[in-house]
Amino acid sequence: LAELVVAKEAFDLGRGQDAMIEQAYEEYFADERQDEEHLWERIKNEYMSHSRGAMGATAVLEAALAGRIGTMIVTRDAKLPGTQCRDCEHLVHGTPETCQQCGSKSVFEVALIDALTRQVELTSGQVNFVDEIPGLTKAGHVAALLRY
């Protein structure tokens, strides 16, 4: 019987179409927010058990470059700095003046969230942009559920 239940509360079909659409949107976004919170809790639990979770830009970038990310969660308005080397293409979180891999001074700033998103998608991972979740913000606006 529970599988046949579509919603948590009755939907008044006697209301106007605009009111029904508005209620449907409200319920959709409430469910989406709940799913985001569940994903954050799952990542946090994996991280705390030293298992398949990564938190913070540096750890998530390292996992992304290794192809380990199954699902990444990012605060929607997060802006994190990154730097990439023109010579060896090494990517890091932060803004060093020289490449940490080859020592080149030919580096440029990148939007780290964009670079992370591209890298995760290249390895068939999922990226979820979410509204602010206090714990995620405190963890550096980015976290991931790892494949292994």
Side-chain angles (χ1 to χ4, degrees):
L1 182 62
E3 294 175 14
L4 299 176
V5 175
V6 178
K8 295 174 189 165
E9 56 186 69
F11 203 77
D12 182 6
L13 297 176
R15 297 187 323 179
Q17 184 176 359
D18 290 344
M20 287 191 293
I21 290 172
E22 184 176 330
Q23 182 179 354
Y25 274 121
E26 287 174 9
E27 290 185 25
Y28 170 80
F29 288 120
D31 286 346
E32 185 175 284
R33 181 72 176 156
Q34 188 175 26
D35 290 346
E36 293 169 356
E37 293 278 351
H38 286 306
L39 176 59
W40 163 242
E41 287 298 320
R42 185 170 173 210
I43 292 170
K44 185 172 68 171
N45 290 338
E46 290 288 342
Y47 177 79
M48 298 296 267
S49 67
H50 304 288
S51 186
R52 296 182 316 122
M55 285 193 199
T58 302
V60 171
L61 175 60
E62 186 177 298
L65 293 173
R68 295 183 61 203
I69 294 180
T71 305
M72 181 173 75
I73 187 171
V74 182
T75 304
R76 195 175 314 280
D77 60 353
K79 300 207 181 339
L80 300 173
T83 302
Q84 190 163 20
C85 178
R86 284 185 178 88
D87 296 336
C88 72
E89 298 184 1
H90 183 67
L91 176 66
V92 295
H93 171 234
T95 55
E97 293 183 16
T98 60
C99 177
Q100 298 173 347
Q101 186 164 319
C102 72
S104 172
K105 291 187 181 202
S106 183
V107 296
F108 59 99
E109 289 187 29
V110 296
L112 190 61
I113 297 300
D114 292 344
L116 278 169
T117 300
R118 278 191 303 275
Q119 187 63 39
V120 170
E121 289 175 345
L122 281 173
T123 57
S124 301
Q126 294 181 332
V127 178
N128 291 333
F129 288 92
V130 300
D131 292 331
E132 186 172 327
I133 298 172
L136 180 59
T137 300
K138 194 173 184 178
H141 298 282
V142 62
L145 186 61
L146 307 178
R147 293 182 173 127
Y148 56 90

